[in-house]
Amino acid sequence: MIVAMQETASEEQIQVVMEHLMNMGFSVHRTTGERQSILAAVGARSDFDTRNLEVLSGVEHVHRISAPYKLSGKAFRPEGTIVQFANGVKVGGEEVIVMAGPCSVESREQLFTVAELVAKAGARALRGGAFKPRSSPYSFQGLGIEALKLLREAGDKFNLLVISEVMEISQIPQMLPYIDIFQVGARNMQNFNLLRELGKVKKPALLKRGIAATIEELLLSAEYIMSGGNYDVILCERGIRTFETYTRNTLDICAIPVIHKLSHLPMASDPSHGTGLRDKVAPMARASIAAGADVLLIEVHHDPDKALSDGAQSLYPQQFHELMDTLRMIAPAVGRKLA
Ligand code: PEP
Ligand code: MN
């Protein structure tokens, strides 16, 4: 950490800051320039709040050099993480994996129809909400355990992995027998108790970025899961809330290369929630692959106009087929291939 003192800082103020740093366990190297003093604090500690120094008298600026996250940071595994599944699917390698399905599991007929069509088009995982985090308590809340059973059955029938959202700790044991990937929704990215519990399970988690979360906060949330011993974490950009109103959210595609530089964890993109409008999903899916996404999470429905949730952003079957054909051409252009 670097602490730049103000030009007007007194020797006494500088000494107070140096003592503060030493009490925190840092060794301090002082450089006194013509105009100001610079204090370089060196040490392994990462759990400090730079504001505690910023508020001290005579301090001009504090700059953190090492990242506050360790396990999710690139240095922990510079070669990158590959999340492997029993059926041979690998996330984070050369292949790009498409996870697709309805926003919510609505019925057996709906799920099996969509599962068959996404499998035929080349998806490797079936998505579908069983527990739905809806903005209104009066909206469809999901079929719960019944949906999980349907997801497993459809997944097995069409050789698809199953991903579904976990909203609270008590759902973890209920979900474990039925799902392959725990999805942590945007609204739960900072549900730290839930993240800690997911650190104890032996199944991968796909962690979505919160609607107003910074990339650093996303990586710190991944750190919660990893520090419990579960290193199989996939990060997901799903759009953040900005001042723009033409789209439901703003898909921060730039987060993909930024995170690939900062972290070894595989990166997913969800252009469905990232845009909220089905005609914007394909362009953003294509752009996500070009930007380096390892996974695409896409909502598809056989009859989106009648969907119980997120119909407007769900692709029609034909649109999904066409998108997959295009992605098969784009992936090789950026050194990848579609699984
Ligand atoms: C979903 O995947 O249907 C969902 C609710 O996602 P998010 O948490 O990104 O809103
Ligand atoms: Mn949805």
Side-chain angles (χ1 to χ4, degrees):
M1 172 174 35
I2 302 290
V3 181
M5 300 300 297
Q6 289 168 354
E7 280 180 47
T8 52
S10 66
E11 183 57 31
E12 197 187 340
Q13 287 171 338
I14 295 172
Q15 288 303 327
V16 168
V17 175
M18 285 178 71
E19 253 169 59
H20 202 94
L21 288 166
M22 286 186 286
N23 288 341
M24 287 166 77
F26 290 104
S27 62
V28 183
H29 304 264
R30 176 175 174 177
T31 313
T32 310
E34 255 175 47
R35 285 184 23 229
Q36 63 183 153
S37 286
I38 304 289
L39 309 176
V42 184
R45 235 184 112 164
S46 62
D47 61 334
F48 57 85
D49 186 342
T50 50
R51 288 174 307 166
N52 291 338
L53 291 149
E54 267 157 22
V55 293
L56 296 179
S57 304
V59 172
E60 184 180 280
H61 180 67
V62 182
H63 181 71
R64 181 193 274 277
I65 292 175
S66 60
Y69 43 84
K70 298 287 167 226
L71 299 172
S72 59
K74 190 86 171 174
F76 181 68
R77 264 191 195 160
E79 72 282 10
T81 285
I82 296 184
V83 179
Q84 307 222 23
F85 294 90
N87 69 350
V89 169
K90 289 184 188 159
V91 170
E94 189 194 357
E95 292 183 331
V96 176
I97 305 296
V98 175
M99 303 182 179
C103 177
S104 307
V105 177
E106 300 167 4
S107 69
R108 184 183 188 86
E109 193 206 348
Q110 172 244 20
L111 187 68
F112 277 67
T113 308
V114 180
E116 181 169 17
L117 82 88
V118 298
K120 279 195 176 141
R124 303 306 307 271
L126 177 63
R127 61 145 293 144
F131 305 106
K132 293 303 300 176
R134 305 304 301 280
S135 300
S136 163
Y138 309 116
S139 302
F140 177 60
Q141 304 284 309
L143 297 180
I145 197 96
E146 192 192 328
L148 296 173
K149 290 180 182 166
L150 291 171
L151 280 164
R152 185 72 272 155
E153 215 190 301
D156 288 345
K157 180 163 183 197
F158 299 107
N159 189 26
L160 294 164
L161 296 168
V162 166
I163 173 168
S164 196
E165 176 166 354
V166 56
M167 283 174 59
E168 52 159 297
I169 293 173
S170 67
Q171 291 162 354
I172 295 177
Q174 296 177 51
M175 294 179 73
L176 264 174
Y178 303 112
I179 55 103
D180 299 298
I181 307 166
F182 285 102
Q183 176 176 320
V184 180
R187 293 155 192 82
N188 268 314
M189 189 202 85
Q190 289 189 316
N191 182 340
F192 301 120
N193 293 335
L194 176 65
L195 300 180
R196 273 197 200 287
E197 287 304 310
L198 290 170
K200 297 180 194 159
V201 301
K202 300 269 174 292
K203 284 199 173 165
L206 180 140
L207 176 63
K208 288 194 168 195
R209 180 179 184 183
I211 59 170
T214 63
I215 289 171
E216 184 168 296
E217 285 164 340
L218 174 63
L219 292 171
L220 282 168
S221 288
E223 193 84 6
Y224 266 93
I225 302 176
M226 297 180 76
S227 59
N230 184 357
Y231 292 173
D232 285 339
V233 179
I234 302 164
L235 303 171
C236 181
E237 166 59 37
R238 50 76 71 201
I240 48 176
R241 191 164 282 183
T242 68
F243 46 82
E244 184 52 67
T245 54
Y246 271 109
T247 47
R248 181 181 182 188
N249 291 295
T250 299
L251 188 70
D252 180 11
I253 289 185
C254 196
I256 300 168
V258 169
I259 289 175
H260 273 321
K261 186 161 183 191
L262 296 174
S263 175
H264 55 86
L265 294 171
M267 189 64 200
S269 171
D270 174 347
S272 306
H273 294 86
T275 62
L277 301 164
R278 82 170 62 87
D279 63 328
K280 310 293 183 294
V281 171
M284 288 298 100
R286 299 194 295 253
S288 296
I289 299 258
D294 303 291
V295 173
L296 286 179
L297 190 62
I298 297 180
E299 289 185 340
V300 182
H301 199 290
H302 68 295
D303 191 0
D305 301 324
K306 298 209 180 77
L308 295 183
S309 59
D310 285 349
Q313 65 192 37
S314 300
L315 295 185
Y316 287 102
Q318 186 56 26
Q319 286 179 310
F320 184 63
H321 274 281
E322 283 166 14
L323 172 61
M324 292 296 281
D325 288 343
T326 319
L327 297 181
R328 258 179 223 107
M329 293 188 279
I330 292 176
V334 290
R336 310 291 291 272
K337 63 181 183 198
L338 213 60

